[in-house]
Amino acid sequence: MRHIAIVGSGPAGFYAAEAALKALGPDARVDILDRLPTPYGLVRAGVAPDHQSIKEVVRRYEAVALDPRVRFVGLVDVGVDVTVDELLSCFDDVILATGAPRDRRLGIPGEDLPGVVGSAAFVGWYNGHPDFRDLAPPLDHPTVVVIGNGNVAIDCARILARTPDELASSDIAQHALEALRKAQVRTIRLVGRRGPHQVSFTLKELGELGELDRATPWVEAADFPPPEADLALEPGQRRVVEVLRRFAATGPDGRRPIVVRFDFFRRPARILGRERVEAIEVVPTRLDETGRAVDAGPAEVIPCGLVISAIGYRTAPIPGVAFDEREGRFANEDGRIGPRLWCVGWARRGPSGTIGTNRTDAFAVVERLATTPSAGRPGRVAFDRLLVARGIATSDFADWRRIDALEVARARPGAPREKVVDLGELRRVALGAPVA
Ligand SMILES: Cc1cc2nc3c(=O)[nH]c(=O)nc-3n(C[C@H](O)[C@H](O)[C@H](O)COP(=O)(O)OP(=O)(O)OC[C@H]3O[C@@H](n4cnc5c(N)ncnc54)[C@H](O)[C@@H]3O)c2cc1C
């Protein structure tokens, strides 16, 4: 037998489990641990609620969870409830698939003011992640600034821009839908240090901004290089820039009240406000010969009531596990952290790629793991003994299915589910307490 503990039940954790079943065959025994009783990581709590088709991927993970060699063990926070060393004493191998749940900091004055939120928190709030249910982002000002030029920034802007009716059939958390219904937001400004050629948007995500019921995108024509410069871009990026050029040509349309404005070539310098955010100061930039953004003019002040920073994520360190502070992920060499200790997904390579990238990543790491000898550890029998000794009540996949059924039953008409957002309630449902 080969006993493997995978910490984290997001895409990387499930792909690692699938890879272990393939590589080790009948000898594999895989425990997938998560601090929450709900599996699927950012597929549940990151992927946008109005992109339900992407969430279909969980069917594949469900098949893995139902394999008799696999166990889902919810409500175990590794590093808090049990240490990695303890896991290594129970299991032959430990694979960390804990993702990158912390926002990268902006590193500018004022970023701790109320009303400055990271995208992990904002996205977690509208997606009903229990850690962020009480975020209450201020939506009472006509302008919101989103910092970042990637898909997460677009997700944040799009959710703010959609009508409550457009969102009602999604699985957006009820508290977010209600707050957005009352929101005063009229302008969403996407601030990026560089220009249209440097964005990290994907075509579908960007194009969607041009198809919203009550919002139009707007790009300054002056921000583009001459059209012939687009020929130097690789074809995918060229199509993205074509969409941005279309947005610039159309401009805001008077019929739709919300504008999603791209503020290219602007460096966020300071966030201003007394009790809460009142404005952000940005400095115009230009690109130097090496492609770096350098300051190019006097600062401008954009009055706003909410600043969302969507500039990337960091893994949360776990005591005793080597950490790469600069990169914000576990220190690893092709997925190996140390003897019998591995990492996959965002915890290994940082926040990049699509859901599918985690599959390639996890399969490669497990392929390496499978070539190492088994340490002859006892596996889940020893782990269960440890949990009992410590009085830790865990949940399993059947408990998750009970939560799932409850959420589906509570859904608004036309919506796929209404998530349980309170950790106490999640625990009660998972651990089998009667539900009102
Ligand atoms: C806002 C947003 C939107 C996205 N949209 C898309 C999209 O549309 N399409 C796409 O292809 N990709 C999308 N992605 C990317 C995709 O979500 C990631 O590639 C993927 O989720 C990373 O997988 P992971 O398993 O490494 O991490 P995660 O999905 O974050 O999973 C980590 C898991 O580990 C658990 N965990 C963390 N710490 C501990 C601990 N100490 N103990 C126990 N458990 C722990 C967490 O609860 C979580 O379940 C999006 C990402 C974001 C942030």
Side-chain angles (χ1 to χ4, degrees):
M1 257 356 131
R2 181 87 175 227
H3 300 283
I4 301 178
I6 297 173
V7 184
S9 65
F14 270 104
Y15 289 128
E18 186 188 337
L21 297 182
K22 285 222 165 81
L24 303 165
D27 281 346
R29 291 292 176 276
V30 181
D31 277 15
I32 305 176
L33 281 44
D34 207 288
R35 54 181 285 260
L36 297 176
T38 53
Y40 311 139
L42 286 175
V43 176
R44 177 176 163 95
V47 171
D50 56 340
H51 285 172
Q52 286 297 312
S53 61
I54 291 170
K55 295 179 190 251
E56 290 291 308
V57 70
V58 304
R59 292 190 195 288
R60 186 185 184 121
Y61 308 154
E62 190 174 48
V64 173
L66 293 173
D67 187 290
R69 294 164 289 176
V70 174
R71 232 179 32 155
F72 173 73
V73 189
L75 295 171
V76 182
D77 195 343
V78 172
V80 176
D81 297 322
V82 295
T83 67
V84 167
D85 276 350
E86 285 168 336
L87 291 181
L88 285 167
S89 72
C90 299
F91 295 93
D92 296 315
D93 311 277
V94 174
I95 303 176
L96 302 178
T98 51
R102 294 195 177 166
D103 282 294
R104 259 188 62 206
R105 286 181 61 81
L106 288 163
I108 59 174
E111 77 170 306
D112 294 319
L113 275 170
V116 184
V117 302
S119 57
F122 186 70
V123 168
W125 171 74
Y126 66 61
N127 268 325
H129 191 295
D131 289 356
F132 304 109
R133 61 185 281 250
D134 297 322
L135 185 76
L139 299 167
D140 53 348
H141 191 285
T143 301
V144 172
V145 168
V146 182
I147 302 173
N149 271 177
N151 281 343
V152 175
I154 289 201
D155 276 358
C156 295
R158 191 183 65 253
I159 295 298
L160 286 165
R162 277 208 191 276
T163 61
D165 281 353
E166 280 177 296
L167 291 169
S169 58
S170 77
D171 67 351
I172 189 168
Q174 186 65 27
H175 60 237
L177 189 59
E178 277 160 22
L180 289 167
R181 212 183 280 284
K182 294 185 209 129
Q184 303 296 314
V185 181
R186 285 292 170 269
T187 307
I188 302 154
R189 300 182 64 152
L190 287 170
V191 170
R193 281 210 281 203
R194 300 194 292 163
H197 274 201
Q198 287 78 35
V199 295
S200 318
F201 308 135
T202 50
L203 195 60
K204 176 180 167 290
E205 245 76 24
L206 181 65
E208 234 179 323
L209 285 182
E211 296 158 7
L212 302 176
D213 281 358
R214 66 166 178 185
T216 30
W218 179 30
V219 185
E220 288 277 5
D223 282 341
F224 291 91
E228 54 276 18
D230 294 2
L231 296 173
L233 297 171
E234 59 89 13
Q237 190 72 355
R238 200 183 313 148
R239 282 194 290 274
V240 166
V241 173
E242 276 164 18
V243 174
L244 287 168
R245 284 191 187 277
R246 211 171 60 228
F247 290 170
T250 337
D253 92 29
R255 289 179 302 114
R256 286 180 274 197
I258 294 185
V259 175
V260 179
R261 173 172 167 174
F262 290 76
D263 279 304
F264 289 119
F265 299 111
R266 298 284 186 284
R267 173 177 71 80
R270 262 195 315 159
I271 295 167
L272 311 169
R274 285 175 299 271
E275 306 286 306
R276 55 172 279 193
V277 175
E278 291 169 25
I280 181 167
E281 190 179 280
V282 295
V283 177
T285 62
R286 63 173 177 78
L287 298 184
D288 70 9
E289 0 6 278
T290 66
R292 274 189 39 228
V294 293
D295 291 355
E300 302 161 2
V301 171
I302 305 175
C304 60
L306 171 64
V307 173
I308 302 170
S309 69
I311 57 162
Y313 301 104
R314 292 169 65 85
T315 294
I318 296 181
V321 180
F323 196 76
D324 182 335
E325 278 297 339
R326 209 176 62 95
E327 299 293 333
R329 50 176 161 74
F330 296 121
N332 73 93
E333 183 222 313
D334 295 333
R336 185 179 179 276
I337 300 175
R340 304 192 290 116
L341 182 59
W342 309 82
C343 58
V344 291
W346 279 18
R348 182 186 83 74
R349 60 174 205 283
S352 63
T354 62
I355 291 170
T357 316
N358 301 298
R359 186 171 194 274
T360 322
D361 179 320
F363 270 70
V365 173
V366 171
E367 199 175 303
R368 273 189 84 190
L369 176 157
T371 64
T372 63
S374 164
R377 302 290 147 151
R380 53 180 72 144
V381 191
F383 183 50
D384 287 350
R385 230 180 280 130
L386 174 72
L387 293 171
V388 170
R390 205 154 284 172
I392 297 166
T394 61
S395 63
D396 62 16
F397 204 71
D399 298 326
W400 151 242
R401 292 183 122 187
R402 208 166 41 249
I403 298 172
D404 187 29
L406 177 71
E407 292 186 341
V408 171
R410 280 184 181 176
R412 296 178 292 273
R417 70 178 61 242
E418 183 59 52
K419 286 180 193 157
V420 179
V421 300
D422 175 67
L423 191 55
E425 186 182 5
L426 278 173
R427 286 186 75 93
R428 282 195 298 281
V429 181
L431 299 176
V435 177

